[in-house]
């Protein structure tokens, strides 16, 4: 019973119970084992990278910085909804203006409502989950059926030849990811001594750059900022990828491949690790909340599921990705590592649940300690070009 109460108590004190449950109901303690397991992963990452890693702070830190609370079937961030379909539950995310604009096409109507959610709710109730997901995918709208994804460990494939085992000190990391999962992995690698270059397009920078700066700074304050056009400056970007010891890719694989910037298009480097983070194994678009639902990682309510935490598949995937990179470094690298957010969520969803109600307190999550402010977009372009020039021709 000591372990049971300990896990439940930590879930409550972390703020994660506060973020899970119906908005007008009590906090939900049913997923306390998620934090317990994430703590073990964080400990493994900390040991391998030589840094301290606070799992609870990583899982609930964004909500603390943004002042979020639980919304039940509305995600804490507000962009996702759990909807009752004809044969179960599904999640749809409308975080981008293009997603909202595509709703009339999704539900096959000519009318665009100011609030699309009532229309979506009525439409979803008449459709099977697979049809909802299939149609949403055609329109590039993130969607998932509850529990559709299977649990799976990161997949690794040989790529470029192994080198000696090494740590991160002095390594060059090209971080092409955005939002949360990939940037968190990059943040942990930067804290371990790597030089991490955050790569952004001038036309489509990381969406969190224009949002709450406290969150963007938390994820990216220790990175160099490199702004490059992925089309007209593809050759320049390819030089950075060629020089990098680790590449973090967060877009769908075809996005880089069609520009000749995928792992098969970049000159091999002995020991390089190419980390590819996907929402789902089939390459569909995803955000942390719908990916969590796809993996079945939800809270418990009397009349159906509720969102668990805040976009919880994102920080869980960031942690798992950092562990995968650290383990690959220990093997000498030379690997393509693929991590699916929904598969990670499914792994955590498979943990035993606990009683949803508890007399323990469930305060809001504490804010992470302030870090270094991130620099402006492209502030380190000259420095990054100099690093690439210095590394060109350097033996592995």
């Amino acid at each position: 019973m000591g372990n049971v109460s300990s896990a439940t108590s930590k879930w409550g004190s972390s703020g994660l119970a506060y973020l899970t449950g119906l908005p007008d109901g009590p906090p939900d303690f049913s997923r306390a084992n998620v934090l317990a397991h994430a703590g073990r992963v964080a400990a493994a990452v900390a040991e391998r990278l030589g840094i301290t890693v606070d799992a609870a702070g990583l899982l609930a830190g964004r909500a603390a910085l943004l002042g979020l609370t639980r919304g039940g079937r509305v995600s804490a961030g507000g962009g996702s909804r759990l909807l009752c379909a004809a044969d179960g539950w599904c999640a749809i995310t409308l975080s981008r203006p293009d997603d909202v604009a595509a709703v009339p096409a999704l539900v096959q109507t000519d009318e665009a409502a100011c609030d699309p959610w009532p229309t979506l709710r009525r439409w979803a109730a008449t459709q099977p989950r697979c049809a909802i997901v299939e149609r949403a995918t055609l329109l590039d709208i993130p969607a998932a059926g509850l529990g559709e994804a299977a649990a799976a460990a990161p997949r690794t494939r040989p790529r470029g030849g192994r080198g000696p085992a090494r740590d991160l000190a002095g390594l060059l990391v090209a971080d092409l990811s955005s939002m949360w999962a990939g940037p968190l992995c990059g943040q942990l690698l930067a804290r371990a001594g790597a030089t991490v270059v955050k790569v952004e397009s001038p036309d489509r920078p990381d969406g969190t750059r224009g949002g709450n700066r406290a969150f963007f700074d938390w994820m990216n304050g220790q990175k160099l900022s490199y702004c490059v056009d992925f089309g007209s400056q593809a050759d320049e970007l390819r030089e950075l990828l060629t020089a990098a010891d680790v590449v973090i890719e967060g877009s769908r694989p075809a996005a880089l491949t069609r520009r000749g910037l995928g792992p098969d298009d970049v000159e091999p480097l002995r020991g390089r690790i190419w980390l590819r983070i996907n929402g789902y194994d089939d390459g569909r678009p995803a955000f942390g909340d719908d990916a969590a639902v796809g993996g079945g990682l939800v809270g418990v309510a009397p009349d159906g599921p509720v969102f668990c935490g805040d976009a919880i598949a994102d920080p869980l995937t960031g942690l798992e990705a950092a562990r995968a990179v650290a383990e690959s470094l220990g093997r000498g690298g030379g690997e393509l590592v693929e991590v699916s957010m929904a598969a990670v969520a499914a792994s955590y969803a498979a943990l035993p649940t606990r009683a949803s109600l508890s007399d323990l307190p469930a305060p809001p999550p504490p804010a992470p300690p302030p870090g270094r402010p991130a620099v402006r977009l492209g502030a380190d372009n000259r420095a990054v070009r100099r690093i690439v020039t210095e590394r060109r021709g350097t033996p592995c």
Side-chain angles (χ1 to χ4, degrees), residues 343-368:
V344 168
S347 299
Y348 283 82
L351 297 170
T353 56
R354 299 184 182 275
S356 61
L357 299 180
S358 172
D359 293 332
L360 292 169

Side-chain angles (χ1 to χ4, degrees), residues 295-318:
L297 184 53
V298 292
V300 177
D303 57 347
V306 292
F307 283 106
C308 176
D310 170 35
I312 198 165
D314 270 308
L316 290 177
T317 301

Side-chain angles (χ1 to χ4, degrees), residues 243-327:
D245 300 289
V246 179
V247 177
I248 302 174
E249 175 190 343
S251 58
R252 281 171 283 182
L256 289 180
T257 300
R258 65 172 171 258
R259 292 179 170 87
L261 296 170
D264 293 327
D265 306 305
V266 176
E267 182 181 338
L269 178 67
R270 185 165 164 255
R272 177 187 293 131
I273 300 166
W274 194 290
L275 172 66
R276 176 176 285 165
I277 297 176
N278 293 321
Y280 307 92
D281 286 334
D282 58 10
R284 285 148 48 197
F287 287 88
D289 285 304
D290 62 89
V293 172
L297 184 53
V298 292
V300 177
D303 57 347
V306 292
F307 283 106
C308 176
D310 170 35
I312 198 165
D314 270 308
L316 290 177
T317 301
L319 262 177
E320 295 287 351
R323 178 167 68 169
V325 170
E327 290 175 347

Side-chain angles (χ1 to χ4, degrees), residues 141-336:
I141 297 175
L146 176 60
E148 66 167 85
R155 296 181 297 177
T156 61
R157 286 182 281 164
R159 180 79 59 171
R162 289 184 175 175
R166 48 189 175 164
D167 57 27
L168 278 155
L171 298 190
L172 179 63
V173 178
D175 181 3
L176 280 67
S177 66
S178 61
M179 305 305 286
W180 196 352
L184 171 57
C185 177
Q187 180 226 63
L188 295 171
L189 302 187
R191 289 176 51 205
T195 297
V196 180
V197 178
K198 182 167 182 62
V199 182
E200 297 173 81
S201 162
D203 297 327
R204 297 187 66 180
D206 187 329
T208 61
R209 182 180 282 277
N212 185 295
R213 280 308 298 250
F215 176 68
F216 184 83
D217 290 348
W218 182 40
M219 287 294 104
N220 301 291
Q222 294 179 294
K223 304 173 187 177
L224 301 177
S225 176
Y226 186 57
C227 182
V228 60
D229 189 293
F230 284 35
S232 63
Q233 295 177 290
D235 288 343
E236 188 174 318
L237 177 54
R238 189 177 295 105
E239 289 184 357
L240 170 61
L241 301 181
T242 300
D245 300 289
V246 179
V247 177
I248 302 174
E249 175 190 343
S251 58
R252 281 171 283 182
L256 289 180
T257 300
R258 65 172 171 258
R259 292 179 170 87
L261 296 170
D264 293 327
D265 306 305
V266 176
E267 182 181 338
L269 178 67
R270 185 165 164 255
R272 177 187 293 131
I273 300 166
W274 194 290
L275 172 66
R276 176 176 285 165
I277 297 176
N278 293 321
Y280 307 92
D281 286 334
D282 58 10
R284 285 148 48 197
F287 287 88
D289 285 304
D290 62 89
V293 172
L297 184 53
V298 292
V300 177
D303 57 347
V306 292
F307 283 106
C308 176
D310 170 35
I312 198 165
D314 270 308
L316 290 177
T317 301
L319 262 177
E320 295 287 351
R323 178 167 68 169
V325 170
E327 290 175 347
S328 183
L329 284 170
R331 294 190 294 267
E335 294 177 331
L336 171 65

